[in-house]
Each structure stands twice: as C-alpha cells, then as structure tokens.
Amino acid sequence: MSSVQQQSIKEAAAYIRGQNGVQPEVGLILGSGLGVLAELIENPVSIAYTDIPHFPVSTVEGHEGELLLGTIHDRPVVLMKGRFHMYEGYGPEVTAFPVRVMKELGVKSLLVTNAAGGINTSFEPGDLMLISDHLNMTGTNPLIGPNDPALGVRFPDMSQAYSRQLRQLAKEVAVGQGIVLREGVYAGLLGPTYETPAEIVMLRTLGADAVGMSTVSEVIVARHSGLEVLGISCISNMAAGILDQPLSHDEVMETAEKVREKFLALVMAIIPKM
Ligand code: HPA
C-alpha cells in the first residue's frame, strides 16, 4: 500500500475520532440482515459512510452505510452497519479499507459475520457456524501491490486466520447460552450470482462447509494488520442444488430475521470477552 493510501486511512480515522471520544477496542462487521446488533449499542454515535473521508459507499439492498461507535456491556466498539462487497465493483483493497481504519482507531479484535449458503448437508437454514478457516476463491487478494511495512509484513501468516482462542471463547459462550454452534470452512466467492450446483459440489470436494460473497478480503487485511479475528456465519439457505428450489436474497433476509434472537444473544455475550 502506498503512503497515499496510508494518508487516507489516517484522515478517515481522524475524522471519526473527531466525532466521538470513545476509543474502540472491538470491531464489528455485520452481514446481510444481521445489522440489528447496531440497535443494542449503548450511547451510539452514528457516522454516515458518505461523511467519512475516503470511505466507499455501499449500494446493495438490505445493507446500510453507517459506522456506529459506542459500547456493548461497557466494551467500546466500532460497528460497520453495511459492508463493501467486491460484486459491487470494489477492488478487494477497497472492501478492506474500513478494517485498516478500525486498526488505526485502536481496535484489537474483529468480529465478522455473514449470511452464507450451507454446503455441509448436516447443516440447516438458521444454523450459526463458527468459521474455522476460509477458502479465498475470489481469485484476488487485497494485499496485491507494494507492501507498506508500517501496515504489516509482505507475506502474512494465515495459519490461524480465525483465532483459536476466540473460537474457544465463542464455543464456551454458546454452551453457556444453550446455543448450538456449528463449525466449518467458509468459501468466499465474488458473486453476485449464487453458485451453480456443480460449483457447490466442487466447493464441498475442496473442503468448504459454507459459501458466501464477503469476509475473506476483510479477514486477510485484519490478519495483515495484526487483528485477532472471530467469524460467524448465519446459514441462511442450503447452497444451490442441495434442495430442489431456487435461491433468493429474500430467503437470505428471512432466515436472518428468524435467527436474530439467537444471534444477538450469542454475540452480545461474546463481545465483552473478546
Ligand atoms: N451463496 C453465496 N452467498 C450466499 C448464499 C449462497 O448460497 N447465501 C447467502 N449468501
């Protein structure tokens, strides 16, 4: 990343700091239909993406573009309500820009959530899946280009992309809440088409348990930045070809609505301990 981009990160962070005194420790990026967590932030300060210097603007239905700063059970957080997807036309480094800004704001750990299609046939729509690892199937990488050593190393280790410690924490919290938490590998594709049944067979063969169109570029940048990552997928539908029915964004949003309470109970209990 060039120093021009580093300057953009600093300018965005400076603007955000100027709106709010809280220094966030945990970053939250929420997937389709899971933005309800935003309503539970205490003393929230809302900043529209359009007001933040250099911030991209989200375009997809069901995603809102605002950054919220506040606390969750006394833990200072920064929450992205609405994220940037490569299918919107953004490069992977753009989708990951807010992660850089979070790091600059002082964030140490990142919770990423998404809606995903279930590839593992033992899953059911409405299940929550702890992401154990991912397959970057986007064909690109947000770190392509000159590396700025001030931001991270040239060849980042991805052997624990999703923190073992945070996964253990999530499992313990889930048990305590009586919530069944699946665990598996998330395959991140470009979209915006849902997959063909043949692609789902391929992904299953490659070791994927769930598939979606987000997360991987954000997590790559988070690891490059030295952030610890926890990822949770909401299995919103079974992936193409598993059931004899077409896939739709409406179904994704409906399932997210149904898991709302379970999802909120889980993440609200995890966040203070991250
Ligand atoms: N495929 C890709 N992305 C998704 C899906 C899916 O089946 N469901 C929700 N996001």
Side-chain angles (χ1 to χ4, degrees):
M1 191 182 273
S2 71
S3 60
V4 175
Q5 275 158 313
Q6 213 188 119
Q7 191 61 28
S8 303
I9 294 164
K10 288 192 189 307
E11 284 173 16
Y15 177 82
I16 294 160
R17 262 189 230 109
Q19 309 297 305
N20 171 281
V22 167
Q23 181 178 308
E25 293 168 4
V26 179
L28 309 169
I29 304 182
L30 306 177
S32 300
L34 302 173
V36 289
L37 180 61
E39 291 160 24
L40 298 179
I41 293 189
E42 298 132 21
N43 307 311
V45 169
S46 162
I47 307 171
Y49 290 166
T50 46
D51 289 341
I52 305 171
H54 314 292
F55 235 68
V57 176
S58 185
T59 63
V60 77
E61 231 180 294
H63 294 267
E64 291 147 273
E66 75 186 299
L67 203 65
L68 293 173
L69 291 104
T71 56
I72 289 182
H73 298 319
D74 295 329
R75 199 83 205 275
V77 300
V78 53
L79 179 149
M80 275 186 81
K81 200 169 173 192
R83 56 146 61 101
F84 304 104
H85 301 87
M86 288 162 66
Y87 61 72
E88 294 174 88
Y90 301 114
E93 73 291 350
V94 178
T95 68
F97 178 77
V99 177
R100 297 275 188 213
V101 175
M102 285 180 176
K103 166 76 180 182
E104 180 69 23
L105 288 171
V107 163
K108 301 281 187 287
S109 55
L110 180 69
L111 171 64
V112 285
T113 70
N114 56 50
I119 293 180
N120 184 323
T121 53
S122 77
F123 290 176
E124 286 174 22
D127 280 349
L128 296 179
M129 185 192 89
L130 193 55
I131 303 177
S132 59
D133 205 346
H134 75 215
L135 294 168
N136 175 11
M137 305 293 284
T138 64
T140 185
N141 192 298
L143 304 181
I144 290 171
N147 186 60
D148 182 345
L151 298 176
V153 297
R154 172 73 287 189
F155 301 107
D157 174 44
M158 291 294 284
S159 59
Q160 249 204 78
Y162 299 83
S163 158
R164 194 174 294 158
Q165 216 178 321
L166 291 180
R167 274 187 282 147
Q168 188 55 36
L169 166 67
K171 286 180 204 175
E172 285 165 13
V173 169
V175 168
Q177 303 249 334
I179 292 170
V180 177
L181 196 53
R182 312 283 190 175
E183 188 167 11
V185 173
Y186 174 88
L189 278 66
L190 279 178
T193 47
Y194 291 116
E195 302 69 36
T196 63
E199 286 164 348
I200 294 303
V201 171
M202 172 189 76
L203 292 169
R204 184 182 297 122
T205 307
L206 295 178
D209 295 290
V211 58
M213 307 174 193
S214 66
T215 304
V216 294
S217 60
E218 294 150 348
V219 171
I220 288 169
V221 168
R223 295 305 297 143
H224 186 240
S225 308
L227 300 182
E228 295 293 319
V229 178
L230 179 64
I232 299 173
S233 291
C234 162
I235 305 300
S236 55
N237 56 281
M238 293 313 290
I242 295 177
L243 304 175
D244 190 19
Q245 63 186 51
L247 274 51
S248 76
H249 188 58
D250 287 346
E251 182 190 3
V252 171
M253 298 303 278
E254 275 165 32
T255 308
E257 174 70 34
K258 282 184 201 148
V259 301
R260 164 185 223 154
E261 249 172 69
K262 179 169 70 166
F263 170 76
L264 287 177
L266 182 67
V267 298
M268 288 293 286
I270 291 173
I271 290 164
K273 298 179 175 165
M274 281 181 70

